[in-house]
Amino acid sequence: MSFSGEVKEELSRQFHKSRHCQIAEIAAILSFVGRLEEVQGQKILHVYTENLSLARKYFVLMRKTFHANVRIAVRQNVYLHKSRIFVISLVVPDEIRKVLLAVKWENEKGEDIRGGGVVNRLLVQNTCCRRAFIRGAFLSAGSMSDPEKSYHLEFVCSEQHKAEHLREIVNSFGMDAKIVLRKKSYVVYLKEGSQIVDMLNIMEAHVALMNLENVRILKEMRNSVNRQVNCETANINKTVSAAVKQVEDINYIKSVRGLDSLSDNLREIALLRLEYPQAALKELGTYLEPPVGKSGVNHRLRKLCEIAEELRQSGKG
């Protein structure tokens, strides 16, 4: 099972005790995958989904919240022959009316009162209800990438105004969700690992949250080790390159003027560098009498470099 599937499986087993939160989650499911259809003059409330976790969650929610006599059927997807579509139906008129009133799809007169948003704002006034709504939205239209590869969480909306309202609900928790148009859908997404962790906490997917945190810790450790290794490798390369240049300069001075032309301090360090071409500056300093620190050794070698450059520019030899 994918990481996204694991999250949905965990969310499908989360049932809030408060009825208003249950209604908010049902409203989310109906908003994304629900349809109010009329067959032979009779209203039927359908939910269509390929996700077993969502089908089970919606079925149980309707039973717990409204004691509704919901029916579930499994159909073959005519476009993708290997996949199934779960159809959860509510056909009893009084039960349909009760649900439509609760989720603010209709008023007491049976008039359609759905607005332009993804949900009636009265249903998500409380923080707990917004959590429940986001949970239902993710179950219905959400997905997550494998955190081992990348950090990405998204909700797919069919209309722009729904996407904008959903983004507003998500961002009410301090998120920075954005919207992108993908083909004919509007996608509300998060790409920051820390915000995705917060979103899992908001939806109360605590097991998935811990799994994601473990992945993040391991990735950060690997990245830290890689940065350290790269830094050390760069330093080694820099040290070796500098040592090679120093040996070249000393040999040039030796061939042009001879090392006896140098002062005692410079001649001593020059001979040591030729004898120990791979040694670090600090190590070279310990071979001197008396020992000299790293900065002192560096100063002498830099002076030798300057002498070699002056000889090259003067054209001697």
Side-chain angles (χ1 to χ4, degrees), residues 67 107 201 239 259 285 292:
H67 306 290
N107 59 17
N201 186 48
T239 300
L259 298 184
V292 174

Side-chain angles (χ1 to χ4, degrees), residues 48-75:
Y48 298 91
T49 179
E50 294 180 8
N51 190 297
L52 176 60
S53 299
L54 172 58
R56 183 177 60 240
K57 179 68 176 285
Y58 177 73
F59 184 88
V60 176
L61 273 174
M62 292 295 281
R63 286 288 183 89
K64 288 172 68 74
T65 311
F66 297 105
H67 306 290
N69 182 30
V70 282
R71 302 174 184 175
I72 187 164
V74 183
R75 297 178 185 171

Side-chain angles (χ1 to χ4, degrees), residues 233-246 273 277-281:
T233 301
N235 287 337
I236 290 170
N237 291 336
K238 185 178 178 182
T239 300
V240 170
S241 298
V244 169
K245 177 68 166 58
Q246 291 158 8
R273 173 49 88 197
Q278 303 296 329
L281 299 184

Side-chain angles (χ1 to χ4, degrees), residues 186-206:
Y186 294 86
V187 180
V188 181
Y189 70 93
L190 293 167
K191 294 190 77 69
E192 288 290 332
S194 59
Q195 292 201 0
I196 293 173
V197 168
D198 290 342
M199 183 58 64
L200 290 175
N201 186 48
I202 288 165
M203 295 189 295
E204 298 179 284
H206 299 126

Side-chain angles (χ1 to χ4, degrees), residues 210-222:
M210 293 304 298
N211 291 337
L212 176 56
E213 282 287 47
N214 287 338
V215 171
R216 288 183 72 213
I217 290 168
L218 288 173
K219 286 178 75 172
E220 287 174 8
M221 286 177 64
R222 284 199 296 266

